[in-house]
Amino acid sequence: MGSLGAEEGESACLRKVEAAILLGDSDAALHLIEHIKTQPWSDNEAVALFRLQVQALALKRDSGLLWQFWQGSSKELQADSAILEEIAWVHLREGIHSGSIQQKQEAITAAAATQHKNAIPILIAGLRSPSIAVRLHALTQVQRYPDDAIRKEVLQMLQDERHPGVRLSILQVIASLKMSEAVEDLYEILLSQETLREEKFRALLAYVEVCDHVSPKQLEGLLSGKDYTLSMLGCE
């Protein structure tokens, strides 16, 4: 292992580290780095190796360990924006998995503000939180993310969520993102006798927002319903 860099070449070594990181194996990546970091690297390769070490440490979700590593580096590396960004993402990932509702909400807000793909796992974690307050907050932030993974999660929430207030927020997100894939679920909500009136009203607004046309079968259902508002929608 000690001659790994000399035998395979620097680029091959870096690719091995990258592969370990992609697999989420922090220990394997750091083990590889430990054996190749003493090899003679060009300035660009040294920076690339340092960034990979930061990414490998980031997988451990330990901002203290990562911060300590960063402080022990050169001033040039400390000024690297990509490295600072990775450290910031570690803090946000720690925040969403903390035991504090406030920290979770702050992580969600900060992640959403970046409009970066790295924010998506944090937002999804917020949507899946056992805390009603966190789920509600996450729903207010995902309205700017028309990502497929977010849309799929929101649709699943519509089917699984039981809290009335959260359900109202879900319907608002569906309308905001114009989620046409939710049409059938919205239709079932509108016709269900168990749906609360406020939820039915929100579902109606969402239905109008996302539905380009109403099938004959759906039209018949709306017209035959006992709800006056729904019958009026069918007539229109």
Side-chain angles (χ1 to χ4, degrees), residues 148 151-152 155 177-185 210:
D148 287 344
R151 296 169 73 99
K152 183 178 179 180
L155 187 60
L177 294 179
K178 298 186 184 301
M179 291 176 55
S180 58
E181 61 268 39
V183 166
E184 293 299 326
D185 293 282
V210 307

Side-chain angles (χ1 to χ4, degrees), residues 162-191:
R162 293 294 176 263
H163 188 275
V166 179
R167 289 188 63 82
L168 294 180
S169 293
I170 292 170
L171 292 168
Q172 184 175 342
V173 172
I174 288 172
S176 178
L177 294 179
K178 298 186 184 301
M179 291 176 55
S180 58
E181 61 268 39
V183 166
E184 293 299 326
D185 293 282
L186 293 173
Y187 183 71
E188 290 181 10
I189 291 172
L190 289 173
L191 295 187

Side-chain angles (χ1 to χ4, degrees), residues 63-146:
S63 60
L65 179 64
L66 186 54
W67 189 252
Q68 183 180 6
F69 171 73
W70 178 83
Q71 286 184 317
S73 63
S74 67
K75 291 184 177 180
E76 291 77 15
L77 290 173
Q78 287 181 2
D80 189 297
S81 60
I83 293 170
L84 292 172
E85 181 179 332
E86 187 60 47
I87 293 174
W89 281 113
V90 171
H91 279 287
L92 294 182
R93 293 183 194 113
E94 279 190 339
I96 193 61
H97 293 290
S98 74
S100 165
I101 290 178
Q102 182 177 350
Q103 287 183 26
K104 289 177 184 291
Q105 291 174 328
E106 289 174 351
I108 290 168
T109 301
T114 67
Q115 292 285 290
H116 195 282
K117 63 181 182 180
N118 286 349
I120 294 173
I122 294 174
L123 294 172
I124 290 178
L127 293 173
R128 294 177 179 177
S129 172
S131 165
I132 293 171
V134 173
R135 295 203 302 279
L136 284 169
H137 185 69
L139 285 166
T140 66
Q141 299 300 308
V142 300
Q143 296 185 42
R144 66 185 81 175
Y145 273 85

